[in-house]
Amino acid sequence: MIKEAEKFADSSLMEGIVSVRAVVDSIHDGTSDRKIERIFFSEEKVRSKAKELSWLRFLSSDMNFPLEIIPGENLDAMCIGNTHGGVAMQCSGRTIPSLSDAKLPEHGFYMMLEGIEDPYNFGYALRSIYAAGADGIILPPRNWMTAAGVVCRASAGASERFSLYTADSGADAADFFHANGYKVICADIENSVSMYDADLTYPVFLIVGGEKRGISRAVLDRADAVVRLDYGREFHGALSAASASSILAYEIFRQNRKN
């Protein structure tokens, strides 16, 4: 098994059938331009997961990539996690376009996450944000999508299903969304209002900074509102960026849900 420290290495090996399905779906609907290079399947799972193997064999023929049946110990050796369930996909990288090329929906919801220092936490955040209905994620130039396999597994495939864009800075992203008629909301403490009292109706662009560095002044100066998360008791610790972004995403969902 690859050591846990290697979760930070570049990787496009997608582990587990959930990740594989997410990549296939994202290719079919045009969200991603990845190319499937090959799929590995554990020979110990051939009988117990015959239905999955049959589907993968169909894909192999339909999408023209090799399917290799290999010993389970070989699959274990190439994977970072231990929840691959007997299947892994090697694929090409994914092109992440510039935000300047995006065509935004009229009533959209986008987020930018900064300061998450672990690809697993980034993936967990994306899972919640996707479930809450966000349309896409804006990434800084340096981001965790180089560790795409880890992020995909942690996000239950959400990272591959999301529309992703890059922006040179949060300030540039804020300017772009303002130009497209979106409210820009920042999560911070100074001069803030409770998220429950803020107008978070669509269209909205939410920026969440890390607990160590927060959000830059240049971005805060562009915010239409600065919101905070109120606590249920006196507590002086900061929530992780992953936790805060999940809570905020669901408040945005709550304010925009249709009764």
Side-chain angles (χ1 to χ4, degrees):
M1 191 74 66
I2 296 176
K3 293 185 180 297
E4 189 70 5
E6 295 199 17
K7 68 186 180 183
F8 297 102
D10 289 0
S11 171
S12 55
L13 184 72
M14 303 299 180
E15 304 174 18
I17 195 66
V18 172
S19 294
V20 168
R21 289 187 186 279
V23 172
V24 171
D25 289 346
S26 70
I27 292 171
H28 282 160
D29 67 19
T31 301
S32 171
D33 64 348
R34 290 194 192 279
K35 303 297 182 185
I36 301 173
E37 296 172 352
R38 65 187 61 244
I39 285 183
F40 304 97
F41 197 90
S42 170
E43 61 185 21
E44 289 83 356
K45 301 289 186 180
V46 168
R47 287 190 176 182
S48 62
K49 297 197 172 182
K51 185 177 293 186
E52 290 180 357
L53 180 57
S54 177
W55 177 68
L56 292 172
R57 281 177 169 151
F58 167 77
L59 286 179
S60 172
S61 175
D62 185 57
M63 300 179 73
N64 193 30
F65 62 81
L67 172 64
E68 298 183 17
I69 309 297
I70 64 174
E73 61 184 16
N74 293 4
L75 189 59
D76 290 342
M78 70 174 64
C79 291
I80 294 174
N82 57 6
T83 57
H84 53 71
V87 61
M89 169 194 285
Q90 185 66 52
C91 55
S92 69
R94 173 181 176 181
T95 302
I96 302 178
S98 169
L99 178 59
S100 60
D101 297 326
K103 295 182 179 179
L104 304 179
E106 183 178 355
H107 300 291
F109 166 28
Y110 291 80
M111 287 187 67
M112 186 171 192
L113 309 177
E114 297 183 322
I116 296 182
E117 300 181 358
D118 181 288
Y120 283 109
N121 287 336
F122 182 63
Y124 298 148
L126 293 188
R127 185 192 302 203
S128 297
I129 295 165
Y130 186 83
D135 294 293
I137 300 293
I138 314 307
L139 302 170
R142 296 182 64 184
N143 58 70
W144 284 120
M145 289 310 295
T146 53
V150 170
V151 174
C152 186
R153 184 158 53 91
S155 70
S159 60
E160 293 301 307
R161 299 179 188 278
F162 256 134
S163 294
L164 303 176
Y165 301 95
T166 59
D168 289 336
S169 68
D172 288 344
D175 288 342
F176 180 83
F177 278 95
H178 268 151
N180 282 272
Y182 278 60
K183 294 188 292 289
V184 174
I185 308 295
C186 291
D188 203 55
I189 296 298
E190 185 178 354
N191 299 319
S192 64
V193 298
S194 170
M195 67 176 182
Y196 301 116
D197 297 324
D199 176 11
L200 302 178
T201 54
Y202 300 151
V204 62
F205 172 50
L206 174 66
I207 304 175
V208 178
E211 57 266 31
K212 292 183 179 180
R213 291 181 296 275
I215 299 174
S216 71
R217 174 50 56 186
V219 176
L220 290 170
D221 287 344
R222 288 166 165 79
D224 296 296
V226 178
V227 300
R228 67 177 183 273
L229 281 68
D230 293 332
Y231 295 169
R233 58 163 52 90
E234 185 175 351
F235 177 60
H236 300 291
L239 296 184
S240 69
S243 296
S245 61
S246 299
I247 295 168
L248 285 159
Y250 269 91
E251 175 58 17
I252 291 174
F253 165 68
R254 187 190 70 81
Q255 290 195 23
N256 289 277
R257 74 192 191 286
K258 295 180 179 179
N259 295 323

